[in-house]
Amino acid sequence: MTAGLVDRILSGDVRSAARLMRGIEDGDREAFDTLEALYPHTGHAYVVGVTGAPGSGKSTLVGALTAVLRRGGMTVGVVAIDPTSPLTGGAILGDRVRMQEHCTDAGVFIRSVATRGWLGGLARAAAGIIHVMDAMGKDVVLVETVGIGQQEVDVTRLSATSIFVLTPDSGDAIQMMKAGILEVADIFVINKSDQEGALRVKADLQSMLNMGGPSSAVRRPPVLLTEAFNGKGVEDLVREIWKHRQTLVSDGGLRKRALERARLELAEAVESSLRDLIDSGLDSAAHERLVEELTERKISPRAAASRVVGQLTRPPQ
Amino acid sequence: MSPKRKLRVLVAKPGLDGHDRGVRVIARGFRDAGYEVVYTGVHQTPEQIASTAIQEDVDLVGLSCLSGAHLFLFSEVVRLLREKSAADITVIGGGIIPEEDIPKLMDAGIKAVFLPGTSLDEIVQWTEANVRPVEESQEPAR
Amino acid sequence: MFDEKTLQQVHDGMLEWWGKVKAAVDNGRGMRRFSTVSDMEVKPLYTPEDIRDLDYAENLGTPGSYPFTRGCQPDMYRGRVWTFRMFSGFGSARDTNRRYHHLLKHGETGLSIAYDYPTLMGYDSDAPRAHAEVGKCGVAIDSLADFEVLMAGIPLGEVTVSHTINPPASVTWAMNLAAADKQGVSWDRLGGTLQNDMLKEFIAQKTFMLPPEPSVRLVRDIIEFGTLHVPRWNTISISGYHMREAGATAVQELAFTLADGMTYVQDVLDHTKLDVDAFAPRLSFFFDAHIDFFEEIAKMRAARRMWARIMRERFKAKNPRSWWMRFHTQTAGCSLTAQQPLNNIVRVATQAMAAAMGGTQSLHTNSYDETLALPSDQAVTVALRTQEIIAEETGVTNTVDPLAGSYFVEALTNQMEEKALEYFDRIDAMGGMLAAIKQGFPQTEIADAAYRYQRQLDRKEKTLVGVNKYVAEEKTPIEILKIDEKLEEEQVARLSEVKRTRDNREVARALGEIRRACDGGRNVMPHVIEAIKAYATEQEICDVYRDAFGRYQDPGFF
């Protein structure tokens, strides 16, 4: 890592930034060192999460949002997350297909990310990539994910405004209640709203949101209709995003979310540091012997753990 | 500790040719080999392909062309990558390509040409042998 | 079809037969799975038991009678052999005109125009996106001037012309109609076909320009105009070939093609004043003839039967000609190999034979060098001779539907129909073919099948001679066709000349009329013809469509 690299990224060099993102995804120590140097330059980009079931048109919507934001003079980063195949460890990342009109626009940076099946690692990688786009000077970063599973829910916690996308024919209503999305989303979008049933789903959703519980916020999340394919309703969506931002700014919500995000990042960073500590301090042969003892019931799990921790925290001899 | 470094690949169709059976089969093949495959659909310009390859920091770009325009399109992608300081990205190609054009493509910087009848295993094996993901956080070659 | 006593005898015979087979299997021969190239399992033996419920009148019928399983025309090839229609085109209009005269001289009976990619996609030869693609895999046609050269010396009143083109079909058809005017051929004598099938573009071939709904609207305008003004013209060729080439199974090809057909019929009924019997007789189809001999024959017979039933029962057509499924066939390009190209001659011959026994109305046979380049003169002549030999020497044309009654072929025909009907149910549940396409259903089914087949090839569960078996190290050198690099420059120069010498005000006016028709929901054809006669270029007209309806981008289903 050189100061040159940091400067290049700060001045918007795509190649260097893309390479750094690679290192972040792969968990390279050097990459995270560079990220440390970039960190003071972050915190300006407005992060918007777009979540929804496959087939809801999220990618097309993200592309349409990008178009509107660009027309308004903003630079945009996109993080498009797709699942890794549990069988093969590989992934086909096909979200950016629907945004390719932007790919030669210097004001847009699109990056496809595979979930890679890590426990918690996805949020860390996504946060890092967002930081890089932020440091490059992007005004808005759109993060697109299917939103299923804990790691992807963690990713949505990285955003200031969270959009949930559904379609008129989705049985999403029930699923949403299970996933707790109703509490998390700031804006709901019914995409492909030219299809039959759009208005009914909108009405159903609005009444569910109005039911609320004691923990429901004063602000009722708006429910919008869009046809991302031809851009209908997308300008309104952008307006709602900025309205939400305004609300967050005035009621202190923005700061609260920033704290929340930082809390999450700190937890990830601490965990990761501890993991590094364990890995570096571990005597693998001794560890294996301990595992065997555990199997033979010669020692119990907690006692074994104490022994390992004791080993790691022992003052150097 | 970093997990096994994953190979990132872009499979792309430059030009007006819309025959995407090959690229879609290869995308799945690469996925099943454990790679991360960026797929950008048909009708991509060389500029779009080069731009995508760089944003996605891929190790390999696979181009497919069945319309006879491969000499120009493939070499243009290589030229643009070089222009944008990304000459270290390996570019391979396939499609309807007469044998006599293969040396011209290699001269232009295409590292391998796979003709109809090539098995997926062959392409993956070639990739394993010839394309290495970049070393840890190595700064991109300029 | 068979009485109980016969069936009992057959059954008893089967037990004995199975005893013998099992002995051989147990002795070490093993039990292998045999399947078609589409991976449909095939039994070792078919008997009357497999077609016990077959009713001659209801399931087969005589040729020329409902349900037309045995053929649309009563005497089929004894009355008139299928049209030898070789899809061809490359380079400039003059180069292609030369090839057309060569083919006609050697016995071709109908023309089929292969356009280059810029033309297929609605671009002129001087468009930035056209660079390096001009004339490479088809002929470059930018305006009526080129089309006139293309058809020079060809009597349009006597030779039928097929246009393999989709988004800009209205444009090239207008050129054809204008050229006919110049030759003094009245439109009611003009015969030909337009491919004009946009649904399969979204599914498989991917030459698309506009979004789905406006694309279908232009298809409909053409069907309506043809019905009213060019009565002998087949205004659409509802295609399965491209889906098959993209990797679809035979059943998928059958199901998706017929589903597309139903979508178009419904669309025309919904949006025009035409009665179904007015336009249905001029709908035509286009199938693949792939390498599995019997599967293809069964597919074609099933297709005829299914379409007849659909038209009569679902769309209540009364005219028997509305129930006919007439189709063109092309031998499967995807079955040919670059290795040992002469082997392809054999493949094409068996595929053409299957098409003949399947009852095709016209046929294109591929050339052996097409996995390497466009066909050379020599290669295309061999391909044409293949059809001629099959038609004149092999005897398959001596009788109609020769394989009818075969236990295997009839069972397979039934099986094709059953499985295709299952797809119909799934597509209906999605809300129809257009909805299914938007969801990526046919595209993903086809991609799954393509991947499965590739894996089978890699594992040698399926054989491709010369590729994964009987591989030869030595290469057979063959002369291939090369397109002159200067062509693009020359074509661009011709285009500039046209633009310079025409009445540009008239062009602008005519283009404006097209736009008004687009916006006003009126049939575009009369205005397109006017613009073409003023020498508007193809892209100029297509740009009007793009401005009016928007552009379509590949959503990238994989």
Side-chain angles (χ1 to χ4, degrees):
Chain A
M1 188 260 298
T2 62
L5 174 59
V6 171
D7 287 336
R8 278 200 298 278
I9 292 173
L10 290 175
S11 65
D13 177 38
V14 175
R15 185 111 173 90
S16 308
R19 178 58 52 85
L20 179 61
M21 291 177 188
R22 187 79 179 277
I24 290 168
E25 278 193 274
D26 290 339
D28 292 346
R29 169 159 296 137
E30 283 226 19
F32 281 93
D33 288 345
T34 310
L35 203 53
E36 289 286 303
L38 287 174
Y39 195 74
H41 300 274
T42 65
H44 310 289
Y46 193 70
V47 183
V48 178
V50 181
T51 314
S56 54
K58 288 188 308 299
S59 303
T60 313
L61 186 64
V62 169
L65 278 169
T66 304
V68 174
L69 290 166
R70 288 297 290 138
R71 281 202 296 274
M74 311 232 121
T75 55
V76 182
V78 177
V79 182
I81 300 173
D82 270 323
T84 294
S85 158
L87 296 171
T88 66
I92 296 183
L93 308 172
D95 290 338
R96 75 177 293 151
V97 176
R98 295 161 206 240
M99 308 172 209
Q100 277 301 78
E101 72 203 81
H102 300 295
C103 95
T104 47
D105 179 349
V108 180
F109 191 128
I110 302 170
R111 178 69 172 218
S112 309
V113 177
T115 56
R116 293 193 181 181
W118 295 353
L119 215 51
L122 174 65
R124 185 180 184 221
I129 290 172
I130 293 169
H131 285 320
V132 177
M133 290 182 173
D134 192 345
M136 287 175 85
K138 295 289 176 274
D139 298 311
V140 177
V141 177
L142 303 169
V143 182
E144 179 197 334
T145 153
V146 173
I148 292 173
Q150 189 53 48
Q151 351 167 30
E152 295 192 47
V153 172
D154 280 346
V155 169
T156 62
R157 287 161 64 195
L158 294 173
S159 47
T161 298
S162 193
I163 300 174
F164 188 79
V165 186
L166 51 156
T167 50
D169 64 353
S170 47
D172 290 346
I174 308 204
Q175 304 217 345
M176 268 165 13
M177 302 191 66
K178 279 192 188 159
I181 287 292
L182 281 181
E183 284 100 58
V184 171
D186 301 305
I187 301 174
F188 288 88
V189 171
I190 298 168
N191 192 30
K192 307 191 187 185
S193 60
D194 51 319
Q195 279 174 19
E196 228 182 278
L199 292 172
R200 192 189 41 75
V201 173
K202 177 173 175 175
D204 285 350
L205 191 47
Q206 274 168 332
S207 61
M208 259 195 289
L209 292 167
N210 286 336
M211 285 194 307
S215 61
S216 64
V218 173
R219 172 183 174 275
R220 298 263 174 264
V223 180
L224 280 83
L225 298 172
T226 61
E227 289 173 45
F229 191 71
N230 54 32
K232 266 209 196 126
V234 182
E235 301 229 1
D236 288 337
L237 177 55
V238 171
R239 266 191 287 274
E240 282 298 333
I241 293 172
W242 295 137
K243 247 168 69 185
H244 181 243
R245 181 174 203 271
Q246 201 41 54
T247 312
L248 291 177
V249 166
S250 49
D251 71 6
L254 196 62
R255 176 146 174 84
K256 232 179 21 195
R257 302 227 174 170
L259 286 168
E260 163 76 26
R261 218 157 60 228
R263 193 167 296 124
L264 177 64
E265 278 203 71
L266 182 58
E268 299 274 340
V270 168
E271 244 188 74
S272 151
S273 293
L274 283 175
R275 260 200 300 274
D276 286 345
L277 189 66
I278 294 171
D279 288 341
S280 61
L282 212 55
D283 171 349
S284 48
H287 195 77
E288 272 312 296
R289 277 199 297 277
L290 202 55
V291 170
E292 277 167 33
E293 284 181 43
L294 206 56
T295 315
E296 289 153 19
R297 292 342 193 226
K298 289 190 183 150
I299 191 170
S300 74
R302 209 151 62 153
S306 300
R307 211 188 283 184
V308 174
V309 172
Q311 190 80 356
L312 290 170
T313 54
R314 195 175 54 200
Q317 308 279 277
Chain B
M1 177 188 68
S2 62
K4 176 173 176 282
R5 190 166 286 278
K6 298 228 186 234
L7 213 71
R8 280 172 74 90
V9 183
L10 169 63
V11 295
K13 294 245 0 131
L16 300 178
D17 165 37
H19 294 95
D20 59 0
R21 174 178 183 169
V23 282
R24 295 197 297 164
V25 164
I26 284 177
R28 290 179 181 217
F30 279 150
R31 175 201 59 196
D32 289 351
Y35 307 157
E36 292 176 348
V37 185
V38 177
Y39 178 66
T40 50
V42 299
H43 308 145
Q44 299 293 290
T45 62
E47 290 76 16
Q48 285 177 311
I49 293 170
S51 187
T52 302
I54 291 170
Q55 285 181 7
E56 299 288 355
D57 194 38
V58 299
D59 305 298
L60 175 69
V61 174
L63 303 172
S64 154
C65 180
L66 282 74
S67 70
H70 49 273
L71 284 176
F72 169 69
L73 291 170
F74 290 10
S75 60
E76 185 65 359
V77 170
V78 173
R79 188 189 72 75
L80 286 168
L81 286 172
R82 285 180 182 163
E83 195 178 86
K84 295 170 200 268
S85 312
D88 55 339
I89 299 180
T90 306
V91 184
I92 62 177
I96 301 288
I97 295 168
E99 292 237 13
E100 65 187 52
D101 284 354
I102 295 178
K104 296 179 198 162
L105 289 173
M106 308 285 265
D107 279 344
I110 303 293
K111 291 288 185 316
V113 177
F114 297 104
L115 294 182
T118 312
S119 72
L120 284 175
D121 293 330
E122 228 181 289
I123 299 177
V124 170
Q125 271 160 32
W126 185 92
T127 305
E128 288 293 311
N130 292 280
V131 183
R132 286 276 99 239
V134 295
E135 288 315 301
E136 290 220 1
S137 283
Q138 189 186 80
E139 287 187 40
R142 303 207 72 80
Chain C
M1 191 164 250
F2 305 97
D3 62 56
E4 279 308 314
K5 178 153 163 258
T6 309
L7 288 172
Q8 188 58 48
Q9 283 173 335
V10 170
H11 189 77
D12 295 338
M14 283 300 285
L15 291 172
E16 198 193 317
W17 168 83
W18 176 239
K20 293 182 192 165
V21 169
K22 194 168 178 303
V25 165
D26 290 343
N27 247 341
R29 207 200 323 126
M31 186 76 121
R32 231 188 78 199
R33 180 175 179 272
F34 286 78
S35 60
T36 66
V37 74
S38 299
D39 209 34
M40 187 178 280
E41 187 155 0
V42 177
K43 300 196 302 184
L45 186 68
Y46 288 79
T47 70
E49 284 190 311
D50 292 295
I51 56 169
R52 66 197 306 150
D53 294 328
L54 195 71
D55 182 297
Y56 187 81
E58 204 182 294
N59 303 127
L60 298 185
T62 38
S65 296
Y66 186 85
F68 304 99
T69 317
R70 305 198 66 186
C72 292
Q73 290 95 356
D75 55 357
M76 286 302 287
Y77 304 135
R78 283 177 71 124
R80 191 167 71 98
V81 163
W82 66 83
T83 306
F84 303 158
R85 192 184 294 283
M86 300 293 283
F87 174 57
S88 78
F90 55 88
S92 68
R94 209 174 61 193
D95 294 331
T96 303
N97 179 262
R98 242 197 75 246
R99 174 58 67 86
Y100 287 165
H101 283 288
H102 172 93
L103 289 168
L104 289 169
K105 188 171 95 177
H106 284 277
E108 171 170 79
T109 42
L111 291 180
S112 174
I113 308 172
Y115 294 99
D116 70 0
Y117 256 107
T119 308
L120 291 173
M121 297 290 291
Y123 292 113
D124 288 341
S125 303
D126 60 358
R129 286 200 140 203
H131 180 54
E133 310 241 32
V134 178
K136 286 274 168 60
C137 65
V139 64
I141 299 289
D142 293 323
S143 75
L144 179 58
D146 292 322
F147 199 86
E148 283 163 338
V149 173
L150 185 67
M151 291 296 148
I154 291 166
L156 292 174
E158 289 155 42
V159 180
T160 52
V161 178
S162 175
H163 298 234
T164 300
I165 193 158
N166 296 276
S170 55
V171 177
T172 64
W173 194 32
M175 292 181 190
N176 202 137
L177 297 173
D181 281 346
K182 288 208 172 176
Q183 279 189 12
V185 178
S186 68
W187 291 357
D188 56 13
R189 275 179 50 212
L190 207 59
T193 304
L194 291 177
Q195 195 166 87
N196 189 32
D197 169 8
M198 283 309 301
L199 291 175
K200 67 95 170 51
E201 296 302 325
F202 296 112
I203 297 171
Q205 184 165 237
K206 317 272 166 97
T207 61
F208 37 56
M209 192 167 79
L210 312 171
E213 278 86 0
S215 299
V216 172
R217 176 249 163 103
L218 288 183
V219 169
R220 179 205 323 149
D221 276 5
I222 288 172
I223 294 176
E224 185 185 49
F225 192 83
T227 305
L228 298 172
H229 304 289
V230 198
R232 290 184 55 213
W233 197 278
N234 303 312
T235 45
I236 187 171
S237 180
I238 304 160
S239 307
Y241 177 81
H242 316 79
M243 304 193 226
R244 196 66 189 278
E245 293 293 300
T249 61
V251 168
Q252 289 167 350
E253 182 192 349
L254 176 61
F256 297 158
T257 306
L258 296 192
D260 282 352
M262 288 192 269
T263 308
Y264 289 125
V265 172
Q266 192 61 57
D267 184 79
V268 175
L269 290 174
D270 287 343
H271 294 101
T272 72
K273 298 199 187 61
L274 294 176
D275 182 70
V276 67
D277 286 315
F279 66 91
R282 279 290 164 205
L283 301 172
S284 70
F285 290 80
F286 175 26
F287 288 113
D288 201 304
H290 210 298
I291 194 67
D292 191 292
F293 188 72
F294 293 106
E295 184 174 56
E296 297 306 281
I297 295 168
K299 176 189 79 188
M300 294 170 190
R301 297 171 89 247
R304 269 196 299 273
R305 179 163 74 205
M306 290 177 77
W307 187 250
R309 289 187 174 152
I310 288 167
M311 288 312 291
R312 197 169 87 161
E313 285 157 32
R314 180 168 168 145
F315 292 106
K316 311 284 188 243
K318 307 241 179 359
N319 182 350
R321 294 186 78 121
S322 298
W323 308 332
W324 285 14
M325 165 184 271
R326 299 166 307 123
F327 60 93
H328 171 75
T329 304
Q330 177 165 338
T331 61
C334 65
S335 68
L336 305 182
T337 59
Q339 296 75 5
Q340 302 173 34
L342 295 179
N343 293 345
N344 294 327
I345 297 174
V346 180
R347 295 188 173 101
V348 170
T350 65
Q351 292 160 351
M353 182 82 104
M357 296 179 91
T360 191
Q361 272 62 47
S362 69
L363 180 62
H364 164 94
T365 33
N366 286 330
S367 301
Y368 62 80
D369 54 358
E370 288 197 66
T371 47
L372 302 169
L374 287 180
S376 61
D377 275 350
Q378 180 190 53
V380 81
T381 308
V382 171
L384 187 52
R385 294 282 178 257
T386 304
Q387 296 197 40
E388 291 159 355
I389 291 168
I390 291 173
E392 308 270 4
E393 295 181 17
T394 65
V396 301
T397 54
N398 289 347
T399 194
V400 179
D401 191 31
L403 291 178
S406 149
Y407 312 126
F408 178 35
V409 171
E410 296 298 356
L412 204 50
T413 305
N414 290 345
Q415 201 178 0
M416 288 274 158
E417 182 173 359
E418 260 167 53
K419 293 201 174 294
L421 289 173
E422 283 169 25
Y423 265 117
F424 284 178
D425 289 338
R426 291 171 75 178
I427 292 167
D428 277 340
M430 288 177 208
M433 201 49 169
L434 207 51
I437 290 172
K438 287 180 183 176
Q439 286 174 45
F441 173 64
Q443 297 92 314
T444 317
E445 287 292 290
I446 291 171
D448 286 349
Y451 192 57
R452 213 167 32 239
Y453 179 67
Q454 183 62 44
R455 279 298 182 210
Q456 286 173 324
L457 280 180
D458 288 353
R459 290 192 297 258
K460 302 201 162 123
E461 286 164 18
K462 289 250 179 288
T463 302
L464 204 47
V465 171
V467 173
N468 67 1
K469 199 170 180 183
Y470 309 117
V471 176
E473 280 316 316
E474 346 77 66
K475 309 251 169 91
T476 329
I478 53 172
E479 270 298 308
I480 56 167
L481 182 83
K482 289 191 263 283
I483 304 297
D484 190 344
E485 287 307 318
K486 286 200 323 291
L487 174 88
E488 185 173 324
E489 217 180 287
E490 290 166 3
Q491 181 65 18
V492 170
R494 277 191 285 272
L495 178 60
S496 310
E497 187 58 17
V498 168
K499 285 182 167 175
R500 200 182 60 80
T501 53
R502 67 188 182 179
D503 181 349
N504 281 292
R505 262 183 340 168
E506 174 58 19
V507 169
R509 190 200 65 78
L511 292 176
E513 286 304 315
I514 297 175
R515 180 60 192 264
R516 265 183 284 283
C518 290
D519 293 339
R522 286 175 293 110
N523 197 305
V524 300
M525 278 313 299
H527 310 287
V528 175
I529 294 168
E530 255 188 42
I532 281 296
K533 286 185 168 178
Y535 293 91
T537 70
E538 192 210 43
Q539 184 168 345
E540 284 168 342
I541 296 172
C542 290
D543 282 346
V544 172
Y545 293 150
R546 290 183 181 107
D547 288 340
F549 300 120
R551 289 158 195 260
Y552 184 78
Q553 225 178 298
D554 181 13
F557 293 113
F558 54 81

